[in-house]
Amino acid sequence: MKIIMLGAPGAGKGTQAKMIAEKYQIPHVSTGDIFRANIKNGTELGMEAKKYMDQGQLVPDELTVKILLDRVAQADCANGYVLDGFPRTIPQAEVLDKALTELGESIDYAVDVNVPDENIVRRMSGRRACLACGATYHIAHIPPKKEGICDTCGQELVLRDDDKPETVLKRLQVYHEQTQPLIDFYTAKGVLRTVDGTVDMKDVFGAIVSILEG
Ligand code: AP5
Ligand code: MG
């Protein structure tokens, strides 16, 4: 099963992708997590990506596409995957589509997690992220068992550099300009499904499972 998670920054793509990956035993592939791991490790790719991420801008397609295609070509992706944060532009979607077509494959579902802009800024300031394993928490809605520590891997949780309110507003603007057109792209392919992302995360997940198993 190949699934794409669509939605604004902070809509809950990462939260839901992690639950999907666990339930269906497929890898959770997040380009944002890959970039953040590279920043943490001080790689050249990380340095380059950080310049864009800290401004709320997209990392250029040339860098992003190669990383994603390399990742999904790995053996653990043979039975499918859930993509979180990719594609984010029409050119990225077209490259993915072409690569899959050459393999005789296609995307099964593009799930749009719908959350209005008003809710987003509030959510982001409370988010805490684990840069080691990619787990995401919220200080009010989804707190870790021990404050500031990741339940999964025991590493310290951080406020992401790009979660400052002014950067979040920029990311929302970039989302509307460059990523939202993907909704029409996947609607035309007949694979778009929309879920209400404003309800409790378990209910969002229930709606997604109904779609995947419906
Ligand atoms: P990325 O890491 O993908 O960030 P994003 O799309 O901006 O999305 P987020 O991770 O911020 O939000 P999310 O939807 O995953 O929400 P989450 O589950 O954490 O990308 C970061 C940057 O990398 C980009 O800006 C760009 O520069 C670059 N980049 C990445 N991919 C790229 C690409 N393909 N091309 C170019 N550049 C790229 O949830 C948010 C918060 O809400 C959490 O605290 C969570 O606990 C809480 N929450 C979740 N669900 C609920 C709920 N139902 N109710 C209440 N709270 C909830
Ligand atoms: Mg995320």
Side-chain angles (χ1 to χ4, degrees):
M1 189 154 51
K2 297 187 187 65
I3 306 161
I4 290 173
M5 303 304 293
L6 294 175
K13 301 181 295 297
T15 302
Q16 296 300 325
K18 185 166 180 280
M19 294 163 86
I20 294 170
E22 273 163 20
K23 183 170 169 72
Y24 297 101
Q25 293 293 302
I26 51 176
H28 168 197
V29 176
S30 158
T31 38
D33 286 353
I34 294 173
F35 290 137
R36 282 185 289 278
N38 274 277
I39 292 171
K40 187 167 180 250
N41 294 327
T43 69
E44 206 173 309
L45 168 68
M47 310 291 207
E48 187 60 23
K50 187 171 168 47
K51 285 193 237 162
Y52 299 93
M53 291 170 73
D54 285 353
Q55 304 298 315
Q57 301 282 1
L58 296 184
V59 177
D61 288 344
E62 307 82 81
L63 278 181
T64 311
V65 162
K66 184 174 181 320
I67 285 160
L68 190 278
L69 293 183
D70 286 351
R71 177 65 190 89
V72 298
Q74 288 173 21
D76 64 334
C77 288
N79 291 326
Y81 41 77
V82 50
L83 297 186
D84 159 21
F86 187 100
R88 252 200 168 76
T89 62
I90 294 283
Q92 289 181 13
E94 286 171 343
V95 172
L96 176 65
D97 199 44
K98 183 162 172 284
L100 289 174
T101 303
E102 281 168 7
L103 296 168
E105 297 174 358
S106 59
I107 292 297
D108 297 294
Y109 295 105
V111 179
D112 178 36
V113 183
N114 192 281
V115 178
D117 288 8
E118 309 78 270
N119 299 28
I120 298 277
V121 181
R122 225 174 321 137
R123 262 193 200 184
M124 306 296 247
S125 58
R127 172 164 59 184
R128 294 297 178 272
C130 175
L131 298 183
C133 76
T136 297
Y137 302 85
H138 189 282
I139 51 176
H141 308 135
I142 310 157
K145 292 196 185 82
K146 185 161 183 252
E147 197 185 318
I149 302 293
C150 179
D151 292 349
T152 314
C153 72
Q155 297 284 314
E156 199 177 331
L157 300 176
V158 298
L159 178 69
R160 273 171 42 180
D161 287 343
D162 59 349
D163 278 351
K164 292 183 295 224
E166 62 274 24
T167 315
V168 171
L169 291 175
K170 179 67 195 170
R171 285 162 62 199
L172 275 171
Q173 185 195 338
V174 168
Y175 166 76
H176 289 301
E177 287 168 8
Q178 301 196 52
T179 307
Q180 213 168 17
L182 293 175
I183 296 198
D184 288 343
F185 182 94
Y186 287 109
T187 300
K189 292 197 173 294
V191 296
L192 188 90
R193 303 290 185 274
T194 302
V195 294
D196 178 2
T198 63
V199 297
D200 187 273
M201 60 183 262
K202 291 190 191 66
D203 297 328
V204 180
F205 187 58
I208 294 174
V209 170
S210 303
I211 289 167
L212 302 182
E213 296 182 0

